[in-house]
Amino acid sequence: MRPSLLDPVFAPVSALPGIGPRTAANLATLLGVDGDREPHVADLLFHLPGGVIDRRLRPGIARAPEGAIVTLEVRVDRHQAPPRSSRAPYRIYAHDETGEIAFVFFHAHTAWLEKTLPVGADLIVSGRVEWFNGRPQMIHPDHIVAVEEADSLPLVEPVYPLTQGLSGKTLQKAMAEALSRIPELPEWLDGNLMTREGWPTFSEALKAMHRPDEEHVAQTGGGEGNETSPARSRLSYDEFLANQLALALVRRSMRQTRGIARVFDGRLKRRILEALPYSLTQGQAAAVAEIEQDLAAPTRMLRLLQGDVGAGKTVVALLAVAAVVEAGAQAGIMAPTEILARQHFASLAPFCEAAGIRMEILTGRDGARKRREARAALEAGEIDLVVGTHALFQGDVAFRNLGLVVVDEQHRFGVHQRLTLAAKGQGVDMLVMTATPIPRTLVLTYFGDMDVSRLAEKPAGRQPIKTVTVPLERMEDVVERLRAALDQGKKAYWVCPLVEESEKSDLAAAEERHAMLVQVLGPRIALVHGRQSSDEKAAAMAAFRDGPAGLLVATTVIEVGVDVPDASIIVIEHAERFGLSQLHQLRGRVGRGSEASTCLLLYKSPVGETARARLSIMRETDDGFRIAEEDLRLRGEGEILGTRQSGSPGFRIADAATQADLLEVARDDARLILETDPQLCGPRGPALRLLLYLFGRDEAIRLLRAG
């Protein structure tokens, strides 16, 4: 049960005066609240301003700079209403001792203007001044107050990100009400840390962010760069600490659930290594050794295997499976898409056969009878290894003795799903693989509950990929170059642009490009996109891999895991629309065979600064870890890890890219807290539980109770 002390901030926003159902729905959109839940007051409080407006400049009308926000004390002289049929604006003229100004209103309500700016009234008006034909004017002033109410005018005003249907004034009003509801909370931070950093209390920090004063503007220069203010740093640290504490609790819970010390002598591993056409890289060998050590220990394995595109993660996973099968248990490999599941199945089959590992695949495409038979065989222990998609594992699939789960493409799979999956057997070990190299700060953030193995080098025999950028105006040259390559029997991909509006547009782009290429290059072209049925996708992939098609036109469905070693050319259209990690993933579809490969990045000029930086990094390097660091710098963490799933942090205040030093401190703090007070019952314990609730880490508190 959440402590009653937090009730005021966990009340729905509709409990605030002036917030009806429509405004609550607009706030849910703005605050990114999922599903049917109405936003809480806490969600609103964590929506921080992006900058501030400084209204302290009072130069007088004649000295007001062009485009500046100023505050003027004026007397209203006359109203000039437009003729009835005219679309001209309503103008109100006023003066001070330095000159005259016009206040301009479009689509104005005459009665309201006459009441708000009556002739002869002395008013304080604040807004942006523009000079037009040598005369100053202010269009739709931001604030109009009587001189005697001057104190009510905010001199320094926060500016919030908004959404359609929600005005700044409505949000400001709701925020003022929300701030008045922050309860007095006990301090959860270490006193020495607060003194050293000069941090305010939690409630003082929230109030300072939402009610910036002159000192705040002096500190931050009045713009958006308030990441360094003590209030912002304090709140970021709180969020990091809640995240790291939750991950540490999940980790401890996984560790405490008794594991099984697996006993194996390596005979299956030897058979697989003999069947492999190459020897393991140093990185692969080291990762296998770490995994075997984990499996042999009586605690459960929870390990992240990070490897660049084509670094050979699948082989490492297979050797982990071999050890578990040899120890008498079963294993499952979960893939994010059916294409990838089928591919894993096809690529592992010869090695499983060589080692005598009984393997089966379970996908949504299988008929009811085949699925029933496969599940019965799993339950009876007649299958050693099952490959399938995430959804199939989360249903009612039962194992006789599940010992290891390998999760491919971890970023589509959160902490909660890890916990659910682990319940499918006794002491299940878990190996998580990602082909998106993730910067170290994000590994700490998203996978702080895991040990990490990193594959840095590529297997022997992999060819370098030459990357070239080409403007779209030269598309004809690219098509002619493709024709020559296809005539020589080479295989190529053509990836269609990411269209932001909808999946349908992506599909239209792919179908259009396919039709154009068929017209120019003939019928040797296959098409794959997300709206096809599984059978259509499989037929297109087979035609490209084994059959008559030399060119595969595709949307980004091929981003993850499509493996056709003969393919040596990839064309990515409108490359400027893709993120770095995605470009790197797509480029990794070639260079898998013995032939030198080429990646052509087609871009529409002129390109923006960020897109230009991305394209030049792609030309310079194929080191996925360096690319990931650059991607983090250019885009921020949310996009790098793809779709945010439950269990991913999705920070509202903190930023792992720019505040990595705070994240490190929070990680050490969380570890120390759990070492000295494992049940959070000590002096800081109850306050730390409040922190976990405030930042939505309730899952971790349930683990505390269970433990």
Side-chain angles (χ1 to χ4, degrees):
M1 287 286 288
R2 192 168 46 224
S4 55
L5 180 63
L6 295 178
D7 288 351
V9 290
F10 279 94
V13 287
S14 57
L16 302 175
I19 306 283
R22 184 181 292 173
T23 306
N26 288 333
L27 282 171
T29 306
L30 175 69
L31 304 171
V33 173
D34 300 329
D36 305 326
R37 172 171 88 76
E38 187 182 315
H40 296 138
V41 171
D43 296 315
L44 189 60
L45 288 168
F46 290 145
H47 183 67
L48 299 186
V52 292
I53 295 173
D54 187 352
R55 299 193 182 280
R56 290 173 301 161
L57 183 62
R58 302 182 77 144
I61 291 170
R63 292 183 290 274
E66 163 68 34
I69 288 176
V70 300
T71 299
L72 305 170
E73 187 173 330
V74 300
R75 174 164 290 180
V76 179
D77 295 326
R78 67 188 192 281
H79 284 226
Q80 184 185 314
R84 268 180 186 278
S85 57
S86 165
R87 303 179 78 173
Y90 193 113
R91 286 187 167 82
I92 297 173
Y93 292 91
H95 75 277
D96 67 6
E97 64 267 22
T98 71
E100 186 182 56
I101 189 166
F103 300 124
V104 181
F105 297 87
F106 292 90
H107 314 298
H109 294 290
T110 306
W112 180 82
L113 289 174
E114 285 171 350
K115 185 182 169 195
T116 310
L117 292 114
V119 173
D122 292 322
L123 302 173
I124 290 178
V125 183
S126 185
R128 193 177 298 279
V129 169
E130 294 171 5
W131 286 78
F132 184 69
N133 289 340
R135 292 162 181 261
Q137 63 178 25
M138 189 183 284
I139 298 172
H140 290 276
D142 300 329
H143 293 277
I144 302 165
V145 299
V147 169
E148 48 274 21
E149 292 167 16
D151 291 350
S152 67
L153 180 80
L155 292 179
V156 176
E157 189 176 17
V159 181
Y160 294 94
L162 293 170
T163 189
Q164 196 173 354
L166 194 67
S167 72
K169 283 209 165 71
T170 304
L171 188 62
Q172 297 262 17
K173 210 167 148 192
M175 204 62 87
E177 191 61 44
L179 285 168
S180 71
R181 298 186 178 216
I182 303 173
E184 272 309 312
L185 297 170
E187 184 53 70
W188 47 74
L189 291 191
D190 175 64
N192 295 332
L193 175 68
M194 285 184 68
T195 307
R196 191 180 79 218
E197 298 292 339
W199 283 344
T201 66
F202 173 76
S203 57
E204 285 168 352
L206 266 180
K207 285 170 183 165
M209 291 306 297
H210 290 293
R211 293 178 179 153
D213 54 16
E214 286 85 339
E215 188 186 341
H216 176 98
V217 175
Q219 277 174 350
T220 63
E224 294 189 14
N226 57 3
E227 279 75 11
T228 53
S229 73
R232 181 66 173 247
S233 298
R234 154 81 209 227
L235 294 172
S236 296
Y237 187 80
D238 285 337
E239 191 166 23
F240 279 141
L241 182 60
N243 169 252
Q244 290 300 309
L245 203 50
L247 280 172
L249 284 163
V250 170
R251 182 189 180 96
R252 190 182 70 188
S253 159
M254 294 295 242
R255 292 280 185 268
Q256 279 176 349
T257 314
R258 208 166 44 79
I260 294 169
R262 316 229 176 244
V263 181
F264 45 90
D265 60 16
R267 64 180 192 283
L268 298 185
K269 173 183 174 179
R270 283 191 290 278
R271 287 183 206 162
I272 291 168
L273 293 177
E274 281 163 18
L276 278 177
Y278 50 81
S279 52
L280 298 183
T281 64
Q282 271 184 310
Q284 283 174 311
V288 171
E290 286 168 344
I291 289 166
E292 287 179 342
Q293 202 174 342
D294 287 353
L295 293 174
T299 49
R300 291 175 56 199
M301 172 170 82
L302 192 54
R303 185 169 286 278
L304 175 70
L305 178 61
Q306 261 196 292
D308 205 346
V309 175
K313 295 180 297 297
T314 316
V315 171
V316 174
L318 179 61
L319 293 170
V321 168
V324 168
V325 170
E326 206 174 287
Q330 294 165 296
I333 295 180
M334 291 178 45
T337 66
E338 198 168 306
I339 286 184
L340 188 51
R342 295 203 166 276
Q343 211 158 289
H344 276 324
F345 184 71
S347 64
L348 294 174
F351 305 116
C352 284
E353 204 173 315
I357 293 171
R358 299 166 297 178
M359 179 171 62
E360 187 53 85
I361 185 166
L362 261 179
T363 75
R365 211 174 101 203
D366 303 327
R369 187 178 160 191
K370 181 177 183 245
R371 275 220 296 274
R372 203 166 47 245
E373 286 171 359
R375 291 167 111 165
L378 254 188
E379 211 165 338
E382 292 158 13
I383 293 172
D384 300 315
L385 168 63
V386 64
V387 179
T389 52
H390 294 166
L392 286 159
F393 279 83
Q394 288 166 305
D396 51 0
V397 176
F399 294 80
R400 181 168 181 199
N401 178 14
L402 179 62
L404 170 70
V405 174
V406 180
V407 181
D408 201 1
E409 286 309 312
Q410 159 64 26
H411 64 262
R412 295 155 191 259
F413 200 74
V415 171
H416 308 324
Q417 288 97 321
R418 296 212 282 272
L419 292 168
T420 311
L421 200 66
K424 290 266 178 193
Q426 275 309 119
V428 180
D429 291 301
M430 196 171 291
L431 177 67
V432 155
M433 305 196 294
T434 176
T436 309
I438 304 168
R440 183 162 180 274
T441 53
L442 294 194
V443 169
L444 288 185
T445 307
Y446 284 71
F447 311 111
D449 57 330
M450 296 190 173
D451 297 311
V452 181
S453 296
R454 194 169 177 174
L455 302 181
E457 73 259 76
K458 301 237 194 314
R462 279 290 165 106
Q463 295 301 310
I465 302 168
K466 184 183 180 192
T467 302
V468 185
T469 49
V470 183
L472 274 170
E473 295 83 54
R474 288 184 45 207
M475 189 184 283
E476 278 182 32
D477 299 349
V478 172
V479 173
E480 282 314 306
R481 191 171 158 185
L482 262 184
R483 184 199 300 280
L486 294 177
D487 289 345
Q488 290 169 21
K490 293 185 176 177
K491 287 189 191 284
Y493 295 102
W494 187 297
V495 181
C496 287
L498 201 64
V499 181
E500 314 240 310
E501 294 76 52
S502 72
E503 195 183 346
K504 205 167 180 184
S505 314
D506 290 33
L507 172 60
E511 286 178 332
E512 205 175 293
R513 181 60 64 228
H514 178 253
M516 181 278 259
L517 290 168
V518 166
Q519 213 172 351
V520 181
L521 301 174
R524 50 189 169 173
I525 304 170
L527 170 68
V528 164
H529 57 73
R531 299 286 278 272
Q532 287 171 324
S533 70
S534 300
D535 289 343
E536 287 169 326
K537 275 187 210 151
M541 288 304 300
F544 179 56
R545 193 176 46 244
D546 316 315
L551 177 65
L552 180 68
V553 176
T555 57
T556 52
V557 291
I558 66 151
E559 176 191 349
V560 172
V562 172
D563 189 5
V564 179
D566 300 355
S568 58
I569 299 168
I570 185 163
V571 179
I572 303 173
E573 195 179 332
H574 276 294
E576 78 280 0
R577 293 185 193 169
F578 291 88
L580 259 180
S581 286
Q582 200 170 24
L583 285 173
H584 181 60
Q585 285 287 328
L586 288 166
R587 175 168 65 180
R589 300 306 111 217
V590 297
R592 293 172 163 255
S594 52
E595 201 171 334
S597 295
T598 309
C599 171
L600 297 167
L601 301 175
L602 292 183
Y603 65 89
K604 185 180 191 328
S605 45
V607 290
E609 209 173 308
T610 305
R612 186 180 292 112
R614 278 187 204 138
L615 296 176
S616 71
I617 291 158
M618 290 295 294
R619 276 202 313 268
E620 284 166 32
T621 183
D622 68 347
D623 175 351
F625 288 97
R626 184 182 155 206
I627 284 171
E629 296 287 353
E630 288 296 323
D631 208 15
L632 178 61
R633 195 175 59 77
L634 292 171
R635 289 203 297 167
E637 91 245 15
E639 292 181 72
I640 289 186
L641 290 169
T643 323
R644 284 211 174 122
Q645 298 278 322
S646 59
S648 302
F651 291 131
R652 289 180 280 189
I653 297 170
D655 178 359
T658 57
Q659 298 176 305
D661 51 338
L662 282 183
L663 175 58
E664 296 273 4
V665 179
R667 189 174 197 227
D668 292 342
D669 196 3
R671 197 180 290 139
L672 187 64
I673 287 164
L674 287 190
E675 275 172 18
T676 53
D677 182 15
Q679 285 302 312
L680 299 187
C681 296
R684 281 169 71 189
L688 285 162
R689 288 171 183 244
L690 293 174
L691 170 73
L692 289 169
Y693 277 120
L694 274 169
F695 285 98
R697 301 295 189 265
D698 309 24
E699 193 75 16
I701 298 195
R702 281 197 283 281
L703 290 176
L704 264 178
R705 290 205 200 99

